[in-house]
Structures are given as C-alpha cells and as structure tokens.
Amino acid sequence: MPTGKLEVLLVSAKGLQDTDFFTKMDPYVTITCRTQEQKSNVASGQGSSPEWNETFVFSVSGEVEELVIKIKDSDVGSEDDLVGEAKIPLETLFVEGNIPPTPYNVVINDEFCGEIKVGLQFIPEDTNEDGYHQHGEEGNFGGWKESSY
C-alpha cells in the first residue's frame, strides 16, 4: 500500500486524430489518479502533435493501480471533443521509483489513435514500523523536540 507523492511529467503527444475540420485542434489533458483530477494548459493550435512540458503532483495513499490520461480538444461554443485516452499501470513505478518519459498508446473505442509521452516519479513518504508517518528526527513529537533541560 504505497503512500507518498506521484509526480507526472506530461511531455507531448503525436499522431493524434485531429477532431477539427477547418483549423488545428487545441488539445489539453486531464489526468486522474483515483479521485484526484488535474488539467493541463490548452496547447492552442498545436493540432495532432502538441507539447505541454508540464508537471503535476498527486498525493497517493492506499490502492492506486493506474493513472488515466484523457486528451480532449478545447472547443469554443460546444462541448470539448474526446480525442482519446491512455491508462498507465503504476505497479512498476512503485517498485522502480522512477520511469523516464515514455510513449504510451492513446486509444478511443479500443482503436489506436496516437501516443502520449509521460514521465513518472514516485516519492514515498516515510512511515515507521507501526504504520505512522515519520516526520523529521527521532524524538520529534508533535512538532516539538524533546527538551535537553
């Protein structure tokens, strides 16, 4: 049961299906880790090969099996179009601690529609043998250090 911080580096995407007919699409990403969701900036006019280079941080505790990344096209005056999604399993990350930027398949309706490049880092939170969170040095209780008097 991992506890700590999950850093997600959203790098870029390529080969996406452009959902706009007359102009290049304006893609953005929503990243979901269990109940937490974060949104990237819109890559205005970058079409099927957007670049973001943004970092997101999620708090992880309990069972977290995957990260869900949805790519959408920002549309003015109508609902944003879903371009595709990628599901990234996190089990290897919790063992390795770091996965450099790697391309993952983007799918829609079970069909491949491009790839997204994402880097991952897991920073575990220290816990003692009783399962309580450890903060700082031994003898540090509730934010107060043991008196030397």
Side-chain angles (χ1 to χ4, degrees):
M1 187 160 70
T3 300
K5 293 197 183 311
L6 170 62
E7 287 187 4
V8 180
L9 172 61
L10 174 64
V11 179
S12 61
K14 67 179 184 179
L16 302 176
Q17 299 288 334
D18 202 329
T19 60
D20 288 342
F21 295 110
F22 301 112
T23 60
K24 288 188 174 184
M25 68 178 171
D26 305 313
Y28 69 92
V29 168
T30 58
I31 304 172
T32 307
C33 181
R34 286 191 69 182
T35 59
Q36 302 168 67
E37 184 175 277
Q38 296 189 43
K39 179 182 169 187
S40 74
N41 290 317
V42 175
S44 296
Q46 292 192 29
S48 60
S49 298
E51 290 188 16
W52 293 280
N53 293 312
E54 293 181 52
T55 301
F56 303 88
V57 179
F58 295 90
S59 294
V60 175
S61 62
E63 294 299 315
V64 181
E65 295 178 8
E66 65 183 9
L67 197 64
V68 178
I69 299 177
K70 292 186 180 184
I71 303 173
K72 297 181 178 181
D73 174 22
S74 178
D75 289 328
V76 178
S78 65
E79 190 173 326
D80 293 351
D81 301 315
L82 177 64
V83 176
E85 73 176 24
K87 293 184 179 180
I88 302 174
L90 297 176
E91 186 176 336
T92 303
L93 174 66
F94 295 141
V95 173
E96 301 289 328
N98 185 26
I99 298 175
T102 304
Y104 296 92
N105 288 344
V106 175
V107 297
I108 190 164
N109 301 326
D110 294 326
E111 289 189 25
F112 174 82
C113 63
E115 62 184 35
I116 189 163
K117 187 181 277 188
V118 177
L120 301 170
Q121 182 173 10
F122 179 67
I123 303 157
E125 189 172 280
D126 294 334
T127 55
N128 64 19
E129 59 275 356
D130 298 324
Y132 293 104
H133 299 297
Q134 196 80 10
H135 298 286
E137 311 166 8
E138 283 298 319
N140 186 352
F141 301 101
W144 294 93
K145 290 192 176 182
E146 200 171 344
S147 174
S148 60
Y149 294 107

